[in-house]
Amino acid sequence: MLCFNLDIKTKYELWCLVGLEPVRFSLIEFEHLTGLNCDCVENLENLRCEIIAACKRCSEWSRDDQMRLGYLAIFTGFIEGRKFSTVTQASLARLVMDLEEFENYPWGRVAFKVLMDSLWNKNLTKSYTIDGFVQVIQVWVYYALPEFGAEYGHPVQNKPSPPLLAYNGGKGRRFFKDAIKRQLIPSEDL
C-alpha cells in the first residue's frame, strides 16, 4: 500500500491512492486504530541513553522497578520500534520513574511521530526499513482494503477494541503488492 502513496507536502500525513479514492493515515487514524493516548506534548526531546544492561540485573529489583523496566521495554520495542542497538530517548525513558505519569503519558503521539518521521522522504518503491509501531500501518491497510484484510489479516470474529487487536495477521512470505493491485484494479484490467 505504501507503494501507492501520493506525493504530499504535509509531513505527518500519509495519503495513498486506493482505486480512485485517496486514503489518509494521520494521527487521527493512528489514535483510532491503537487506542493510545495521542494528546499534545509540548516537547519531544531527542536526548539518548542506553538501557540494555539493565535486563541482566532486574531479578533482584523491586516489583515497581521491574514494572518500570517492562514499560521501558514496551516503549523501546513498540512505540519507538527501532533495532536493539539504537539508543533510547532519555527524557522519555525517565518517565518510568513515576509509574502514574508514565501510564498517563500520551504515548500515541510519540509513537505516531516516530513512525511518520521514519516514513518521511523514503523511497517506498524499493526495499526499506521503517522504525516505529509499524503494525498500525498494516491494520490501516486492512481497514482501507477490506477484502485484502479478510484474506491476509485473519480477522478476529468479535471485532475487539481497539481495532489494532481485530486481526491476527499471518506468517510467511506473500506477494502483497500483487494482492493489493488485484483489489484495486479489476482483474480484466491487469
Side-chain angles (χ1 to χ4, degrees):
M1 179 95 150
L2 297 178
C3 294
F4 303 107
N5 68 325
L6 300 171
D7 187 21
I8 61 163
K9 301 302 179 213
T10 307
K11 184 172 182 178
Y12 293 107
E13 286 187 3
L14 174 69
W15 287 84
C16 295
L17 195 59
V18 178
L20 300 175
E21 294 291 320
V23 178
R24 177 182 72 173
F25 180 77
S26 70
L27 184 62
I28 295 166
E29 289 77 21
F30 186 90
E31 184 175 27
H32 171 74
L33 292 171
T34 64
L36 290 172
N37 177 352
C38 292
D39 291 345
C40 187
V41 179
E42 285 298 318
N43 186 9
L44 296 177
E45 298 177 40
N46 257 343
L47 300 173
R48 303 290 191 175
C49 74
E50 290 189 43
I51 61 164
I52 296 171
C55 294
K56 296 175 183 169
R57 300 184 308 269
C58 72
S59 62
E60 303 152 10
W61 294 358
S62 70
R63 175 96 170 116
D64 281 352
D65 286 344
Q66 290 177 352
M67 283 184 62
R68 287 181 180 99
L69 183 60
Y71 281 149
L72 206 49
I74 291 168
F75 169 70
T76 59
F78 291 98
I79 293 172
E80 279 194 320
R82 296 186 173 128
K83 61 184 178 179
F84 73 92
S85 61
T86 303
V87 292
T88 299
Q89 293 183 11
S91 60
L92 297 175
R94 282 188 203 110
L95 289 173
V96 300
M97 298 314 291
D98 181 343
L99 291 175
E100 185 176 338
E101 183 180 355
F102 188 89
E103 290 168 356
N104 293 313
Y105 194 79
W107 292 113
R109 186 170 289 266
V110 176
F112 176 76
K113 183 180 182 309
V114 169
L115 179 61
M116 296 307 284
D117 285 346
S118 177
L119 288 170
W120 188 249
N121 287 332
K122 286 217 175 173
N123 181 353
L124 299 175
T125 60
K126 297 183 178 178
S127 180
Y128 52 89
T129 301
I130 299 174
D131 292 332
F133 201 171
V134 296
Q135 295 83 351
V136 179
I137 295 285
Q138 184 176 359
V139 173
W140 172 66
V141 171
Y142 294 158
Y143 273 85
L145 305 171
E147 292 173 23
F148 179 80
E151 184 176 345
Y152 293 98
H154 305 283
V156 174
Q157 296 300 328
N158 59 359
K159 295 270 187 187
S161 181
L164 184 66
L165 302 176
Y167 294 91
N168 287 321
K171 294 183 179 179
R173 187 171 180 91
R174 303 231 167 89
F175 298 97
F176 291 120
K177 191 171 180 181
D178 292 336
I180 290 171
K181 281 182 181 177
R182 279 195 302 274
Q183 183 166 339
L184 300 178
I185 305 166
S187 51
E188 62 269 2
D189 294 339
L190 284 178

